[in-house]
Amino acid sequence: MLRPTAFSAAGRFWRGNLHTHSTRSDGVLPPAEVCRRYRAEGYDFLALTDHFVGCYDYPIVDTLPFRAEGFTTILGAELHSGAMANGELWHILAVGLPADFAPSDSPDFHPKPGQETAQELAARAVAAGAFVAIAHPQWSGLTLADARAVTAAHAVEIYNHGCAMGCDRPDGAAIADLLLTEGRRLTMIATDDAHFHEPDHFGGWVMVKAPESTPEALLAALKAGEFYSSQGPELRDIRLHDDRIEVDSSAVAAMIVQGQGTAARAVHGSSMTTSEMDLSRFGTSPWLRVTLMDAAGKKAWSNPIWR
Ligand SMILES: [Zn+2]
Ligand SMILES: [Zn+2]
């Protein structure tokens, strides 16, 4: 029996948003108010990730003054350099950057000849200690070749709430599943990408399993994949047997399991808190992942489980 370490590791789950903007780039609210709102909403941590471009003076916002009892912050930024296949500028999320992370040569939101590639910038962020994710693939119009090139990334945004509210392009699962099928051991994060100019906040988050909610412990757990993502449902345990899977959760209406290629199956029910599925449909798929959906349509996503 295999239990992902997110559920077997010591500690508890901490709720956080990893992708947020403020007036230090194109967000509406100042950093103190953004932090206050997330804390008031019951979040355990927040990464403020303003756009790291020259026209905003390459912000890595000092959020240490906004830490409080039961609420911590992780320094970060949304990094930009290099062109995607569509000619537009890359967006890469970096959580856990040092305050003195060296600026890229990215004066604005247009690619500039000779600047770092997205892969070079992502690798530099990882080397500096960050947890790095490919942001909003569907909104970006990212191709599979684009995503494949950024081998330094730990994760893909499976859900971006701002992109859901603002343009109905929230998805990262399609490209993530293709990368998993190529053997890339990526994890999947849900984020808000909140700017507070529309209902783009408190809609997608990560639940990180760690012994304590320090930035160091949270970052280590993120890099180790010891988390799940959610819009509401709680994912409490996954037990993977040779021939079946069992999942404990808050009350849900569907459990969907996805694997390589067309391998996928769902069980439906009413207020299911333990869901079970026979895995004969999944053959030799080297990975599986679990999506839960509650009666309101809100989802939770496990990370891929390699078997
Ligand atoms: Zn972005
Ligand atoms: Zn953003």
Side-chain angles (χ1 to χ4, degrees):
M1 198 258 290
L2 195 159
R3 265 179 100 202
T5 51
F7 307 102
S8 60
R12 50 156 280 195
F13 282 108
W14 308 95
R15 181 188 183 200
N17 175 32
L18 299 174
H19 188 163
T20 330
H21 298 278
S22 75
T23 48
R24 293 292 303 277
S25 63
D26 59 352
V28 170
L29 301 174
E33 178 61 10
V34 173
C35 292
R36 190 197 68 77
R37 290 194 187 193
Y38 274 92
R39 185 180 173 217
E41 184 65 15
Y43 281 70
D44 299 301
F45 69 98
L46 176 71
L48 197 57
T49 53
D50 276 306
H51 295 289
F52 198 65
V53 288
C55 59
Y56 295 125
D57 205 19
Y58 296 106
I60 294 178
V61 181
D62 178 13
T63 52
L64 272 64
F66 315 125
R67 292 178 184 173
E69 183 69 33
F71 181 79
T72 197
T73 65
I74 307 178
L75 300 196
E78 187 168 2
L79 306 178
H80 303 277
S81 192
M84 303 182 292
N86 61 13
E88 298 189 44
L89 188 68
W90 262 95
H91 292 224
I92 290 172
L93 188 67
V95 174
L97 287 173
D100 62 352
F101 184 68
S104 47
D105 181 15
S106 315
D108 54 29
F109 287 103
H110 301 284
K112 179 181 166 182
Q115 69 184 169
E116 283 175 298
T117 64
Q119 162 62 7
E120 287 165 346
L121 182 53
R124 197 157 64 80
V126 169
F131 171 75
V132 170
I134 294 172
H136 44 59
Q138 191 183 15
W139 178 82
S140 289
L142 210 65
T143 67
L144 179 58
D146 284 329
R148 189 188 284 134
V150 182
T151 56
H154 296 102
V156 173
E157 279 185 343
I158 190 168
Y159 177 74
N160 179 303
H161 189 57
C163 293
M165 293 296 107
C167 61
D168 193 24
R169 287 179 165 174
D171 181 65
I175 213 156
D177 282 350
L178 291 172
L179 291 171
L180 294 174
T181 292
E182 295 182 354
R184 280 282 299 280
R185 301 225 169 190
L186 288 158
T187 54
M188 302 184 167
I189 58 171
T191 70
D192 275 347
D193 199 356
H195 293 70
F196 285 91
H197 54 47
E198 58 189 347
D200 57 3
H201 40 279
F202 313 146
W205 55 86
V206 286
M207 296 293 282
V208 180
K209 184 70 157 302
E212 54 182 8
S213 63
T214 60
E216 296 74 22
L218 293 168
L219 269 174
L222 283 165
K223 291 176 189 173
E226 289 168 357
F227 65 91
Y228 69 90
S229 293
S230 188
Q231 301 171 310
E234 285 180 31
L235 184 42
R236 293 179 182 151
D237 197 12
I238 295 179
R239 296 176 297 279
L240 185 64
H241 304 272
D242 288 342
D243 57 346
R244 69 199 160 87
I245 190 168
E246 296 167 322
V247 175
D248 296 339
S249 66
S250 56
V252 296
M255 174 178 76
I256 302 148
V257 178
Q258 298 98 335
Q260 190 147 312
T262 58
R265 216 191 131 194
V267 290
H268 303 277
S270 166
S271 299
M272 301 188 296
T273 52
T274 296
S275 308
E276 188 171 347
M277 184 189 292
D278 171 87
L279 291 176
S280 53
R281 176 77 184 77
F282 293 85
T284 57
S285 178
W287 58 272
L288 300 173
R289 60 186 187 86
V290 176
T291 303
L292 299 173
M293 187 163 63
D294 70 14
K298 291 187 185 296
K299 295 177 184 173
W301 300 272
S302 80
N303 275 320
I305 305 160
W306 294 83
R307 57 178 191 160

